[in-house]
Amino acid sequence: MPAFLTDDWFANVEKLTNEAGDLNLPPSLANLALNLVVTGTEGTTELALDSGKIVKGSSANAKTTLNLDADTLRKVFLEFDMAAAMQAFMTGKIKVQGDMSQLMALQTAKPSQEQKDLFKKVLEQTA
């Protein structure tokens, strides 16, 4: 099981994403791109949530960047814990740069069952 946010983890996420096929996303998620700058014990990692998929590096399509720690990223984006997201935002664990409306779209968007299944597999295969 690859460690969270390592190169092996990103390779596994890409493999699982390709296997998942069409994520059947609602337009609010299909058209959303967010850059994420994650701090952790191994330094800083850049990734993006682009069209419902986790990708390594930044997305040129993103108008918003979130700065957060690895634990918060795991809770919010892999476990879909919106209460943790709100708490992290209110306590300054999530810092937002850019277009806040993108973040609001994410808050109200409902992930498809296909996306939930993909992220569940990613979480199950994350050390």
Side-chain angles (χ1 to χ4, degrees):
M1 224 182 288
F4 190 43
L5 300 177
T6 61
D7 287 341
D8 288 343
W9 183 82
F10 280 107
N12 193 49
V13 168
E14 183 176 3
K15 176 182 154 277
L16 292 171
T17 301
N18 290 338
E19 288 172 359
D22 183 8
L23 295 179
N24 194 28
L25 297 170
S28 58
L29 283 177
N31 300 321
L32 181 68
L34 295 171
N35 285 329
L36 306 165
V37 178
V38 182
T39 54
T41 56
E42 303 298 316
T44 301
T45 303
E46 292 187 14
L47 64 147
L49 181 66
D50 197 349
S51 302
K53 299 173 185 171
I54 298 169
V55 293
K56 187 175 181 178
S58 297
S59 169
N61 299 324
K63 296 176 184 163
T64 308
T65 299
L66 302 180
N67 294 280
L68 64 164
D69 62 66
D71 289 337
T72 302
L73 175 70
R74 182 189 294 251
K75 286 178 187 167
V76 174
F77 289 95
L78 294 182
E79 298 174 14
F80 294 109
D81 186 343
M82 290 302 115
M86 187 58 69
Q87 182 179 13
F89 182 74
M90 298 303 276
T91 60
K93 285 188 171 183
I94 297 177
K95 293 182 175 67
V96 181
Q97 297 172 301
D99 185 355
M100 283 288 285
S101 68
Q102 297 286 301
L103 193 57
M104 296 304 149
L106 183 63
Q107 184 181 6
T108 59
K110 301 282 188 241
S112 65
Q113 189 60 50
E114 292 87 348
Q115 185 184 35
K116 287 181 186 177
D117 292 346
L118 169 61
F119 283 24
K120 181 180 178 189
K121 285 180 186 174
V122 168
L123 185 61
E124 288 170 352
Q125 296 185 26
T126 298

